[in-house]
Amino acid sequence: MLSLGLLLTAVTFSTLGAGAAHADEINTDQYDYVLSGNVQFDGEPIEDVLISVDGSGYEAEVVTDADGKWRIGVPEKETYTVALDEDTLPKGVVVAKGGSEIEAEFGLTKVKSVNFFLGEGERTTVSFFDQFVNRFVNGLNFGLLLALAAIGMSLIFGTTGLSNFAHAEMITFGALATLTLSVTMGLPIWIAIVVAIVLSGALGYGLDAAIWKPLRKKGVGLIPLMIVSIGLSLALRYIFQLFYGGGTSQLPGSGMADLKFGPISLSPIDLWSMGISVVVLLAVSYFLLRTRIGKATRAVSDNPSLASASGIDVDGVIRIVWIVGGALAGLSGVLWAYFRPGVSWDMGFQILLLVFAATTLGGLGTAFGALVGSIIVGLFVELSTLWLPSDLKYVGALVVLILVLLLRPQGILGRKERIG
Amino acid sequence: MIDWGAIFSNAAVELISPTTAAYALAALGLAVHFGYTGLLNFGQAGFMALGAYGYAISTLTFGFPVWASVLVGIGASVVFALILGIPTLRLRADYLAIVTIAAAEIVRLLFTTNTFQPVTGSANGLSGYKGGFADLNPIPAGTYGFGPFEYNAYDWWLRIVAWTIVILACLFTWQIMRSPWGRVIKGIREDEDAVRALGKNVYAYKMQSLILGGVFGTIAGMIFVLPRAVVPSNYQTSLTFFVYAILLLGGAATILGPVIGSMIFWVLLSFFSGFIARAVEAGWLPFMSSIQAGQLRFILVGVAIMLIVIYRPQGIFGNKKELAFVK
Amino acid sequence: MSNNTVPTAKPVKTVGMHIGEAVPGCKKKDPILVVDGVSRTFGGLKAVDVEHLEIPRGAITALIGPNGAGKTTLFNLLTGFDKPDTGSWTFEGTSIGGMAAFKVARMGQVRTFQLTKALGLLTVMDNMLLGAKAQVGENLFRAVLPFLWRQQEAHNKVKALDLLARFKLDTKKDDYAASLSGGQRKLLEMARALMSDPTLVMLDEPMAGVNPALTQSLLDHILNLKAEGMSVLFVEHDMHMVRHIADWVIVMAEGKVVAEGDPHEVMRNQAVIDAYLGQHHDEDLGEDPDAGQQNVGAIKELLDDEL
Ligand SMILES: Nc1ncnc2c1ncn2[C@@H]1O[C@H](COP(=O)(O)OP(=O)(O)O)[C@@H](O)[C@H]1O
Ligand SMILES: [Mg+2]
């Protein structure tokens, strides 16, 4: 009874925090199969070397301990790619032979040891310019997929004033639906994606009809609405986890080999992704600028009371905005699943802040501002890895968000509002 | 068979646990921000992280005594509040929300990255900083208490200090909120332009509120890590959302709301997880694994946040008329 | 906007405040506020463009003009709630262009808002007390020590009760401001502004939305302000009222001051009639759907006066 209190709080917390990673051991108590190794050079252990494991839709990372040891638990008796991050080796040490990636296959035991052969030497690095171009194109790709989600969020914000935290789950939903339709139900991937987008649009419609419209009618304020969306986001996220588990799965075709275009390496999927984003964004622009409903949407964003006074069906417009926003978020989720790569229960939440940053950067509630903001965020995140360690790449984008707010509070394309 | 006794006593333990105290204090900080001033701070997790790391790093890396470590944590959060407040407090309320959430994430990522591993312990976090606090313990070694509330000297010391701080913070907040200062703060929540037109330096008041609530969050962060280790993944955005859930449960513009809210939250959560876990073990819920059972509580918290905001926006203790929401 | 709101007792008008002809921008003998070259554009639209303007001390000055003329924007600029593109101005001889709104208020130039800003979830009494100046307990550190501010607080309460009684709100002192009617909130906002003993009171449409039964007392309050030595600048649409209480009238249209003068003379000014007739009816519909209606009413009243 004595230590029960402490024990219980400790247990409570290890489940609350989303699985704290131990430096030298990860998921070893969770899974039966373990990959392990010992990083040494000249008989001396090397600490803090980053080892990552990837395979069968599972990813994990670990850092070697003071004895140079590491262990990673893996879910299945499958083949995994174990990679050693050469950037984390001390200066003058490189992987001598066998490469920094090793395919590991389990034998008869549940533990497989994987060792890298280190030697002295300098790494040959890709020229800065080539890296820059490559990162730039990646950033563009990322920015375009962010834009799909950000425009939806921005339209919703513009027409209803809601800062929708549950947008993250609309993103995740698209990817999860595609996963179920293609992998579980065996539909061809194209059909699965189209159906998933339709379902995402339906989700948007459903959320508006079931939650947001009644709350608007009830006259609930904007900040309570935002908090409701936070609660919704939390609930949906863990409902996803309940059904799909905490792991990562791959969509068909992800992990296709890269094609080389000079310094740029892109997979066919990346090309498709950018192409689809551009086409869809153009279609959305056409919708907003040229169609009657699109113009009505912008009118409602500008001034809802004026719009309704001039005979626009504000509720109808908002309904359409939710459907479009849901569908765009769903598509963005599918593309994000290929970009990461992998589908997981919290994938949307991982980029929610970046979507917010993009929307805010562009000016809250302006759809085209969201597009510009997304591209900036996307480029910034990818390009920052040229200078920052990759585990800090989101930091750059968030810092820029704060700086822009400081210099141009109304966002890049936004307008000031009136007082008095 | 289900051991109801264990479920109930585990739940009762949460009533005075240091974690409950930490969440109560963090929620009180949010009450100052959101409930009284109308500031949408979504970065309370960042303030808590600064407290936890400020204390732990001062102790481990610099070998500071307890009081100096506490001051370092508080100083860090004051600087953090200034950095957040200077660009955003002149802007619309929703900008502060986005900036605070972003800043808290920046803080967490900086504590998680391998770059500063020697100081922050990166993803591993930090431990072994409790010695100084334990040395201050005047209670002779031994086990005290009754029933489920039976602890050793360190655990009692921790609980006594934690709850004393919570009570002092409540008294302090109660006093300032009924003073002319509190009147200005509540006026700002209602309409800051009106308050500005009356000659009050709204910006300075908002900054004071941000700092004050942030310091509460920081101290909460220190209490939070005294019974456990500092682990960066604990300071995710969901931590802030949990604190909001507690605040809304108790009532946003109340003093006791955060405290009682925290107690109810943790007791219910412990009861619920205890029950589900044992029910799964006993085979009552054949369709569910024990991991899934753990996730149910998050779903429950999410739904609870929605229901409270929609159906009882003033919380349990809030005044029916004083809805305590900024419009 | 009906005749029955016009009081019967004739208030005493202050006359002969200007120097030379009553033209736009004319000099005043004793100006309290002097504006020079102030302009403000909103994305191409020049909302305010005032070359020179002087507001007389110790008098009631009305600022009139059709909807969208830039009156509220000018108020926002002069009180530090908005930043001009160009221009400077002095209050009591001190240059206050670009000064923060709260400092402007502390100097004794207080304003009210067109859309009332009563602090709904504060009691009427708390609303009033918030208006008082230089409160010791408004400092965070002193707030913790009630003995430092209790006496001042009691003193302010007496003053607040006195003002509330004059505005017939004393019975509501413990109610939330949100429970007051629209007109009562306007009164509260005005009373609250008076708690700081201002020298210049700027009222943006104080009568709008006020129950006709209350307008009379509002008018009396404004006249009282003058009697107590304060200067008043107010925006109003009801011409009868303007004529009744204003000592001086300034007319704005499309951002510019188009006429100034004695309330009876200025109404005959062709520029004024043009300003009201030339109003673009499509402007500002969102804010005030019956703006056009109002202007037609104003012109009718103008013409009435001619007869
Ligand atoms: N913040 C703003 N953004 C854009 N236009 C504005 C803003 N504030 C005022 N305006 C425009 O400036 C003009 C003057 O407005 P205002 O000062 O409110 O007029 P008044 O008070 O005389 O009716 C109007 O055309 C109005 O639409
Ligand atoms: Mg106006």
Side-chain angles (χ1 to χ4, degrees), chain A residues 418 420, chain C residues 65-73 75 114-115 204-205 235 237 284 287-288:
Chain A
R418 52 188 306 179
Chain C
N67 248 284
K71 306 178 295 288
T72 298
T73 309
F75 261 45
Q114 181 173 353
L115 301 170
D204 198 351
E205 306 208 8
V235 173
H237 279 293
D284 246 350
E287 193 189 355
D288 193 354

Side-chain angles (χ1 to χ4, degrees), chain B residues 76-90:
Chain B
S77 77
V78 171
V79 172
F80 186 59
L82 289 172
I83 293 174
L84 289 182
I86 289 170
T88 47
L89 288 181
R90 293 181 200 276

Side-chain angles (χ1 to χ4, degrees), chain B residues 233-279:
Chain B
S233 57
N234 278 342
Y235 301 96
Q236 293 180 355
T237 316
S238 7
L239 172 59
T240 304
F241 295 166
F242 273 63
V243 180
Y244 260 97
I246 285 172
L247 176 68
L248 296 171
L249 186 68
T254 59
I255 305 287
L256 281 182
V259 177
I260 312 284
S262 182
M263 289 177 167
I264 296 176
F265 183 88
W266 285 109
V267 168
L268 280 185
L269 215 54
S270 161
F271 178 80
F272 182 76
S273 354
F275 171 73
I276 297 280
R278 283 177 173 77

Side-chain angles (χ1 to χ4, degrees), chain B residues 172 175-176 178-181 183-184 186-187 189-191 193-201 205 208 319 321-324, chain C residues 81 101-102 105-106 111 113 117 119-122 126 129-132 135 137-140 143-144 146 149 153 176 192-193:
Chain B
F172 178 81
Q175 176 55 35
I176 55 171
R178 59 198 273 277
S179 77
W181 186 86
R183 191 160 59 216
V184 178
K186 288 184 247 176
R189 174 189 72 198
E190 297 301 309
D191 190 324
D193 280 335
V195 176
R196 203 171 271 133
L198 295 172
K200 317 294 173 194
N201 186 353
Y205 280 99
Q208 288 167 16
N319 183 334
K321 269 190 261 168
E322 189 168 359
L323 288 182
Chain C
F81 279 86
F102 77 93
R106 280 183 193 174
R111 71 170 294 183
F113 293 87
K117 293 186 187 293
L119 306 167
L121 298 185
L122 260 55
D126 276 345
L129 291 174
L130 203 50
Q135 296 189 48
E138 286 184 355
N139 173 300
L140 177 53
V144 198
W149 45 264
E153 185 86 344
Y176 281 117
R192 191 175 65 191

